[in-house]
Amino acid sequence: MLKKTFFAAVVALMAFSQIAKAQTNLQIFYDFGRDRKHVTTTLEGFYGDKWGNTFFFVDYDYNAKNKDGVNQGVSGSYFEIARCLNFWQNSK
């Protein structure tokens, strides 16, 4: 059930980004290491405007396990936001 919900959320997010014409990127990574088998998702966004641009990304690691060793959900998260300003464009 959790996998179906996760898949539905990913599809909805991708559909929304196509409708909104946003410059957003969702990536899903799987670590094939012998002792590290878990999934990481990365959501990135880049938006430009007349004052500069904004870039962000959010990483989620899905390797939390319950007492039976079954993956249960998000174990960690990391994000960055960068805003670049351009005050001198079109100035005289």
Side-chain angles (χ1 to χ4, degrees):
M1 183 66 182
L2 181 63
K3 289 182 183 181
K4 289 180 183 178
T5 305
F6 178 72
F7 182 72
V10 168
V11 170
L13 183 62
M14 290 172 64
F16 176 74
S17 68
Q18 292 298 318
I19 292 170
K21 304 288 186 200
Q23 296 173 350
T24 305
N25 179 21
L26 177 68
Q27 302 171 13
I28 302 173
F29 302 100
Y30 181 75
D31 191 347
F32 287 102
R34 185 173 298 159
D35 59 339
R36 303 180 307 259
K37 296 181 180 179
H38 68 272
V39 175
T40 300
T41 58
T42 300
L43 179 67
E44 297 177 323
F46 180 83
Y47 305 96
D49 56 30
K50 67 179 184 175
W51 290 102
N53 61 58
T54 303
F55 172 77
F56 74 90
F57 76 90
V58 182
D59 287 339
Y60 292 108
D61 289 327
Y62 299 90
N63 62 350
K65 298 185 187 310
N66 63 11
K67 62 183 177 180
D68 298 326
V70 178
N71 284 345
Q72 194 167 355
V74 176
S75 64
S77 178
Y78 178 79
F79 73 94
E80 288 187 20
I81 300 172
R83 175 71 181 156
C84 299
L85 295 174
N86 185 4
F87 294 113
W88 52 90
Q89 184 178 11
N90 297 326
S91 62
K92 296 183 181 189

